[in-house]
Amino acid sequence: TSTAATSVSISGDIGSQLHGGYYHPLARSWQAERQLTKSMFIYPIFVTDREDDMNLVASLPGQYQLGLGKLVSYLEPLVRKGLRSVMLFGVPMKPGTKDALGSAADDPEGPVIQAIRLIRRRFPQIYICTDVCLCEYTSHGHCGILRDDGSLNNQLSVDRISDVAIAYAKAGAHCVAPSDMNDGRIRSIKLKLIEEGIAHKTTLMSYSAKFSGCLYGPFRDAAGSSPSFGDRKCYQLPPSGRGLARRAIIRDLNEGADVIMVKPAGQYLDIISDAKELGKDLPIAAYQVSGEYSMIHAAAKAGVFDLKAAAFEATESILRAGATIVVSYFTPQFLDWLDN
Ligand code: PBG
Ligand code: ZN
C-alpha cells in the first residue's frame, strides 16, 4: 500500500538526521563514553638531588626540574585545584652519582625516596606513582645493567629494577611503574611485593607497550637520561609493531600487572584500543609523552591552533581510544580548564 511506501521513505529521511542529538554542548558531551575528569590525570614531576633547584626545562615548556626544597610550594596550589596523582622521576645532578648499576635509584637519601616521604607527609591525599627505571642513574644511560658487549643483561636488570621498585613501595609509593622494558620484570616485582607483604597496597602499573622513537627527547633533557651510546631499540618496541605490543600486554597481564600503560599516546591510539580490548577488566593508562606535549606547544606558538583546543582534542581522543588514566604534562592546566 501507499502507507508502507511512505513509511520506508520517511524512515530513510529520519535516519539521516543526526544534528539534533548534538546541537547543544551538554548533548555533545553525552556522545563521549567517558568524560574527562581531574582524577584521570597523573602529573609527571622531575625531582633533583639539589635542594633548591627550580630549573625550567627549555624543551618542555613550563615544566621544571625541582629540588626537594621547592616541591611542596610547587605542588600546593595544584593540590588545592584538585591534583590527585603524581609520577615521580629522579634526576641526579650531583657529579659522581651515576654508575654502571644505577646505584642512586634507590638511595634512601636520593630524590625519589625523599620525595615520596615528603609528599606522603605533606599531601597525604596524593596518590604517588614512581617511574621505575635505571636510565637516569646509570653512567651509560641505558635502562638496565649491561654486558661487556653493551647489550642489556636481562636477568641482572630485572633483579636490580625489582629491588628499586620494592624500595619505592616500602618508602610509601602507592604505585610502582617500571618503564625499563626488560622481559619478566612484572612477574619479578609482583613476587617481591608478595614476599615483602606489601602486594595488597601497591599498584603495579606496567609500561607494557612502550615504543621507541623520537618523542622522548624533551624528557631526556629533563631527566638527563639520554643513552651515552646506541639507542633503546632492542628493548623498546618498534613503532610498527602492533602484534608485538599485544603480546607484551598479554604477557604483563599474565605476570600480574594491575594497570597497563601505552606510551606514547597520540600516535598509538590503536594500541590503546587493543590494550582496552585485551585488558578489558583493568584500567588502561596512556602516557602523553614529552614530545607530544612539546609539539602541541610549538604548533600553538606557531599559530597552527589554540593550545587549549589542541590539548583537549588530544586528550579526549586518548580517552575515546580506551584509556581512563592519562599521564600528562598538561595536568596543571586541565585542573584549571576542567573547572569551567
Ligand atoms: C624512562 C622513561 C622515559 C620516559 C618515561 N620513563 C624515557 C625513555 O624511555 O627514554 C619518557 C617520558 C616522556 O617522554 O615524557 N625509561
Ligand atoms: Zn629508562
Side-chain angles (χ1 to χ4, degrees):
T1 67
S2 68
T3 339
T6 310
S7 82
V8 167
S9 96
I10 287 174
S11 82
D13 284 339
I14 290 172
S16 70
Q17 300 302 298
L18 302 183
H19 289 181
Y22 61 95
Y23 77 97
H24 190 278
L26 182 63
R28 275 197 292 284
S29 78
W30 290 340
Q31 307 304 321
E33 281 180 50
R34 281 172 292 277
Q35 300 294 333
L36 203 53
T37 62
K38 294 183 183 185
S39 63
M40 290 175 172
F41 284 92
I42 300 176
Y43 185 34
I45 308 267
F46 301 98
V47 189
T48 76
D49 56 359
R50 293 186 310 206
E51 190 72 11
D52 296 319
D53 272 339
M54 185 157 182
N55 316 320
L56 256 180
V57 182
S59 56
L60 202 52
Q63 307 300 317
Y64 294 88
Q65 297 168 324
L66 295 166
L68 287 162
K70 294 284 162 64
L71 201 52
V72 171
S73 59
Y74 186 78
L75 289 177
E76 206 139 51
L78 301 179
V79 172
R80 226 178 303 117
K81 290 181 200 173
L83 178 70
R84 296 298 310 277
S85 180
V86 293
M87 173 82 79
L88 299 178
F89 294 91
V91 188
M93 302 286 238
K94 289 183 188 152
T97 336
K98 302 193 183 200
D99 61 23
L101 304 178
S103 305
D106 50 356
D107 177 356
E109 301 305 318
V112 172
I113 290 190
Q114 287 301 315
I116 294 169
R117 296 192 190 288
L118 182 62
I119 295 171
R120 284 292 298 243
R121 200 163 61 238
R122 297 299 300 270
F123 305 110
Q125 68 275 47
I126 289 290
Y127 182 92
I128 304 171
C129 304
T130 47
D131 182 273
V132 182
C133 201
L134 298 183
C135 54
E136 296 97 328
Y137 308 97
T138 49
S139 36
H140 45 70
H142 280 286
C143 303
I145 295 171
L146 302 183
R147 298 194 189 85
D148 289 339
D149 67 2
S151 62
L152 269 183
N153 183 321
N154 195 81
Q155 191 54 49
L156 290 183
S157 300
V158 164
D159 290 348
R160 172 87 188 105
I161 279 156
S162 47
D163 283 346
V164 174
I166 297 305
Y168 294 167
K170 279 179 147 178
H174 301 95
C175 170
V176 290
S179 65
D180 56 290
M181 291 297 281
N182 284 286
D183 284 332
R185 69 216 194 277
I186 299 304
R187 174 183 153 79
S188 172
I189 294 172
K190 196 68 162 193
L191 286 173
K192 286 187 186 178
L193 287 170
I194 293 168
E195 204 176 289
E196 295 290 334
I198 49 176
H200 64 290
K201 55 173 183 178
T202 311
T203 303
L204 179 46
M205 179 190 288
S206 179
Y207 285 75
S208 295
K210 174 172 177 180
F211 291 86
S212 67
C214 61
L215 291 172
Y216 306 143
F219 171 94
R220 291 179 190 169
D221 293 343
S225 64
S226 290
S228 63
F229 66 91
D231 53 43
R232 305 208 202 290
K233 288 183 181 151
C234 289
Y235 41 106
Q236 300 181 354
L237 307 179
S240 54
R242 186 170 182 176
L244 195 53
R246 291 176 64 94
R247 289 169 63 202
I249 290 165
I250 293 167
R251 188 262 320 263
D252 289 357
L253 285 172
N254 291 330
E255 289 188 12
D258 299 304
V259 179
I260 296 293
M261 195 204 286
V262 175
K263 165 190 175 192
Q267 295 179 11
Y268 295 88
L269 297 179
D270 55 333
I271 312 295
I272 295 175
S273 139
D274 283 356
K276 183 69 198 158
E277 174 215 318
L278 297 168
K280 58 181 181 305
D281 298 324
L282 12 49
I284 303 300
Y287 197 142
Q288 184 188 55
V289 300
S290 57
E292 299 178 77
Y293 170 82
S294 296
M295 268 200 295
I296 292 173
H297 266 273
K301 204 172 163 195
V304 176
F305 46 52
D306 171 64
L307 182 75
K308 178 179 172 183
F312 264 94
E313 282 185 30
T315 312
E316 287 177 328
S317 297
I318 291 166
L319 251 57
R320 188 196 63 234
T324 49
I325 304 168
V326 189
V327 187
S328 170
Y329 300 97
F330 282 115
T331 299
Q333 285 167 294
F334 273 107
L335 296 177
D336 288 326
W337 292 335
L338 290 174
D339 274 336
N340 305 311

